[in-house]
Amino acid sequence: MTPPRASRRLDAPAPLGRRARADAVVRQASGSLLWLGLLLVTYWWAAGGGIQDLGAWASGLTSVGRLTGLVASVLLLAQVALMARVPRLESAFGQDRLAHLHRIVGFTSFNLMLAHVVTITWGYAGGQLPGTPGTLWNLTVNYPGMLLAVAGTACLVMVVVTSLRAARRRLRYESWHLLHLYAYLGVGLALPHQLWTGHELTSSTARTVFWWAAWGAVAGAVLIWRVGVPLAVNLRHQLRVTSVVPEGHGIVSVYLTGRRLDLLRAEAGQFFTWRFLGRSGWSRANPYSLSAAPDGRSLRITIQAVGDGSAEALRLHPGTRVLVEGPYGRLSARSRSRGKVALIGAGVGVTPLRALAEGLDYAPGDAVLLQRYGDDRLFARELDVLTHERGLRVVPLPGHRRGRDSWLGEVGHGSDLDHLHRWVPDIAERDVYVCGPTPWADLVVEDLTSAGVTPDHIHLETFAW
C-alpha cells in the first residue's frame, strides 16, 4: 500500500488575495465586453431602420426577427467562449460558475434563435400566417447556407433537449457529455448562413470585420484550448497509473506519475478530466479532483464508483496510460484572500478539501475542516497526520442527515447555523471552501450567508453537470 503523503506547503499566495483581485477584474471586463457586443449589434439594428420598421405588421415582424437573430448570434458566441477552457476565464469564474452562465446564455440564445426563425419567416410571408410554411420551405431550399443552418439547428435542439433537467436525470454523465459536443457542430453549421445571407452581418465593412473577427477568435480559442493544449500536455507529460489503493467501500485512490509534472502547474483543490486508456469507454472523459497536493513528481485522485466510468476505475492496474485535460477549477489558493480558512465537505466531496488542507499555507489553528460522512470517514489517518503536523482542526460530523433541510448529521439539538457558530465562531472572517452534492451544498451556502460570509469568500464546487 502506498503510504500517506507527507504534508507540504505549496500553494501560499504571494501576496495574499492578489490573484483573487485580478480574477475579479477579468470577470468585470468579460461581462462588460459581452454587453458592449450586445449594444453594438442593437445600435446597428436601430441605425438600419429597425425601430421605424416596427410601425407596420409585416416589416415589424421582420425587424424583430433581425434583432433576435443578432442578439442570438452574440450570445451563441459567448456560449461557446464560456466553455472553450480559456485559462483566464477558467481561473476567474471556476467551472461551476462557468457552467451556470453557459446554461443561462445557452437557453437564452436558443430561445432567441427560435424567435428569429418564426418572426423572420412570418415577416417574409407578408405577415400572413397561412403563407409561413411555404415561405419557410422557399428560404430553406433557395437561400445560401440555409440547409446547413437547418442541420445546425437540429444539433442545437438535441443539445438543448438533453440539457433539460428531466432528460439529464435519465442520462449517464458520459453520454450527456458526448451529446453536448454536438453544440460545436451546430454552431459551425449555422455559421455559413449568418455570414453569407445575414444582411445585418455583411452590409458594411465594419460589420463584416466584427463578425469574422469574433467568430475567428472563438473558433481559435476552441482549437487552442480544447484541442491543441490538451494534445501538447499529454505528449509532454505521458501520465501512467502507478498504483490503485482501496480507501473504503467502492472508493479507490489512483496514484499517477509522468514526465516533468512540475510544469503541469496544478494546484491543490483543482481537478482534471481523465481518460484511462485500454478499457471500455475510454473516449469519454470524467472529472476527478486531486486528493493530494501535487508535488511536481506525482498526482493522486480519489474516485467513488457511482457510474459506469467511475466503476471502471476500481479495475485499473499499474502501467495504464492516461489522457488528461486541465487543471481546472477555482477551488484552490487562487481564490483565497484571507489568512484563515474553513473547509466544509460531504462524503467523497472531502477529496479536494483534503488536498487543500495539505497544500494551503496556514498557521496552526487557522484552518478547520468540517467533514460530513455516513459510515466511513474518508482519509481519517491522513487527516490525523495533518492535525498533528500542520495544526489543522477537524470536526467529524458522522451519521445520516437529520432532515432534508439540514446539512448536518446527528449532532443534537439546535439549528445548523447555531452549530456552525459554535464550531467556527469567526466563520465570517474566513475564506470558506465547500464541496459536496448540490442540494447539500446549497444548504451550507445558505447558512454561511446567514453567518455573514460574503459571496466573494465562499468557494464552491458541487457534484452537478
Side-chain angles (χ1 to χ4, degrees), residues 1-5 242-248 251-253 255 300 379 381-382:
M1 174 181 289
T2 304
R5 297 179 170 203
T242 56
S243 61
V244 181
V245 179
E247 298 283 3
I251 301 177
V252 296
S253 283
Y255 292 77
R300 187 184 78 174
F379 305 129
R381 186 157 63 103
E382 297 180 17

Side-chain angles (χ1 to χ4, degrees), residues 17 28 76 96 109 124-125 138 182 203 209 252 281 284 346 387 392 432 449 465:
Q28 183 66 41
L76 197 60
D96 279 353
S109 66
Y124 282 179
N138 179 58
Y182 278 91
S203 59
V209 170
V252 296
R284 297 187 294 267
T387 297
L392 172 71
V432 185
T449 303
W465 48 273

Side-chain angles (χ1 to χ4, degrees), residues 23-36:
D23 290 343
V25 172
V26 172
R27 291 194 295 271
Q28 183 66 41
S30 57
S32 299
L33 184 63
L34 175 58
W35 280 110
L36 284 173

Side-chain angles (χ1 to χ4, degrees), residues 71-137:
V71 174
S73 296
V74 173
L75 293 179
L76 197 60
L77 282 168
Q79 178 187 3
V80 176
L82 284 170
M83 299 308 287
R85 301 287 197 250
V86 178
R88 291 303 296 144
L89 292 179
E90 193 80 26
S91 300
F93 288 92
Q95 266 298 299
D96 279 353
R97 194 167 176 181
L98 279 178
H100 178 68
L101 292 172
H102 171 77
R103 181 178 175 83
I104 293 174
V105 172
F107 277 113
T108 304
S109 66
F110 179 76
N111 290 333
L112 288 171
M113 182 188 70
L114 292 183
H116 164 71
V117 172
V118 171
T119 55
I120 204 81
T121 306
W122 198 353
Y124 282 179
Q128 303 299 313
L129 195 59
T132 301
T135 302
L136 179 61
W137 176 259

Side-chain angles (χ1 to χ4, degrees), residues 331-396:
L331 201 74
S332 69
R334 182 178 195 91
S335 58
R336 182 183 177 192
S337 59
R338 291 175 168 176
K340 294 183 177 182
V341 298
L343 315 171
I344 306 176
V348 77
V350 77
T351 295
L353 305 184
R354 181 256 175 263
L356 283 169
E358 179 183 11
L360 289 176
D361 184 70
Y362 54 86
D366 282 354
V368 57
L369 168 65
L370 276 60
Q371 184 181 8
R372 275 283 297 114
Y373 59 95
D375 299 323
D376 299 318
R377 182 179 164 218
L378 192 59
F379 305 129
R381 186 157 63 103
E382 297 180 17
L383 291 172
D384 288 343
V385 171
L386 289 170
T387 297
H388 289 96
E389 293 188 359
R390 296 290 311 280
L392 172 71
R393 185 162 65 90
V394 180
V395 180

Side-chain angles (χ1 to χ4, degrees), residues 85-426:
R85 301 287 197 250
V86 178
R88 291 303 296 144
L89 292 179
E90 193 80 26
S91 300
F93 288 92
Q95 266 298 299
D96 279 353
R97 194 167 176 181
L98 279 178
H100 178 68
L101 292 172
H102 171 77
R103 181 178 175 83
I104 293 174
V105 172
F107 277 113
T108 304
S109 66
F110 179 76
N111 290 333
L112 288 171
M113 182 188 70
L114 292 183
H116 164 71
V117 172
V118 171
T119 55
I120 204 81
T121 306
W122 198 353
Y124 282 179
Q128 303 299 313
L129 195 59
T132 301
T135 302
L136 179 61
W137 176 259
N138 179 58
L139 292 172
T140 301
V141 299
N142 292 321
Y143 275 60
M146 282 299 297
L147 285 174
L148 293 176
V150 170
T153 301
C155 291
L156 293 174
V157 167
M158 180 182 65
V159 171
V160 168
V161 169
T162 56
S163 294
L164 297 173
R165 296 189 186 279
R168 283 159 56 189
R169 284 195 293 265
R170 297 175 179 270
L171 289 171
R172 299 178 304 167
Y173 168 80
E174 296 88 352
S175 299
W176 173 85
H177 183 267
L178 184 62
L179 290 171
H180 211 65
L181 295 178
Y182 278 91
Y184 293 110
L185 178 60
V187 172
L189 291 173
L191 179 60
H193 155 64
Q194 296 180 19
L195 297 180
W196 293 346
T197 63
H199 173 75
E200 299 290 341
L201 280 67
T202 59
S203 59
S204 71
T205 301
R207 300 182 194 193
T208 301
V209 170
F210 170 80
W211 287 107
W212 276 101
W215 279 106
V218 171
V222 171
L223 291 174
I224 291 171
W225 301 111
R226 294 301 298 258
V227 180
V229 169
L231 283 174
V233 165
N234 286 287
L235 287 173
R236 169 190 283 176
H237 299 297
Q238 298 188 18
L239 287 171
R240 292 181 181 272
V241 174
T242 56
S243 61
V244 181
V245 179
E247 298 283 3
H249 180 68
I251 301 177
V252 296
S253 283
V254 181
Y255 292 77
L256 308 105
T257 191
R259 301 189 308 184
R260 296 303 307 273
L261 296 187
D262 56 308
L263 300 178
L264 199 52
R265 305 179 75 174
E267 296 187 48
Q270 292 188 301
F271 70 93
F272 292 79
T273 59
W274 305 81
R275 292 179 174 88
F276 299 98
L277 305 184
R279 66 187 183 103
S280 60
W282 69 267
S283 62
R284 297 187 294 267
N286 289 88
Y288 300 122
S289 298
L290 298 176
S291 60
D295 59 7
R297 300 182 303 275
S298 61
L299 301 173
R300 187 184 78 174
I301 56 176
T302 300
I303 304 171
Q304 183 178 29
V306 293
D308 292 346
S310 55
E312 286 287 333
L314 275 62
R315 293 183 283 275
L316 290 173
H317 54 80
T320 299
R321 286 289 305 276
V322 183
L323 301 180
V324 297
E325 296 177 38
Y328 301 130
R330 189 171 163 75
L331 201 74
S332 69
R334 182 178 195 91
S335 58
R336 182 183 177 192
S337 59
R338 291 175 168 176
K340 294 183 177 182
V341 298
L343 315 171
I344 306 176
V348 77
V350 77
T351 295
L353 305 184
R354 181 256 175 263
L356 283 169
E358 179 183 11
L360 289 176
D361 184 70
Y362 54 86
D366 282 354
V368 57
L369 168 65
L370 276 60
Q371 184 181 8
R372 275 283 297 114
Y373 59 95
D375 299 323
D376 299 318
R377 182 179 164 218
L378 192 59
F379 305 129
R381 186 157 63 103
E382 297 180 17
L383 291 172
D384 288 343
V385 171
L386 289 170
T387 297
H388 289 96
E389 293 188 359
R390 296 290 311 280
L392 172 71
R393 185 162 65 90
V394 180
V395 180
L397 302 173
H400 299 290
R401 282 170 56 185
R402 52 183 183 168
R404 295 184 61 182
D405 58 347
S406 172
W407 55 275
L408 294 176
E410 300 162 0
V411 294
H413 299 291
S415 68
D416 290 6
L417 184 58
D418 290 338
H419 286 292
L420 178 63
H421 276 302
R422 180 161 56 85
W423 292 320
V424 195
D426 59 351

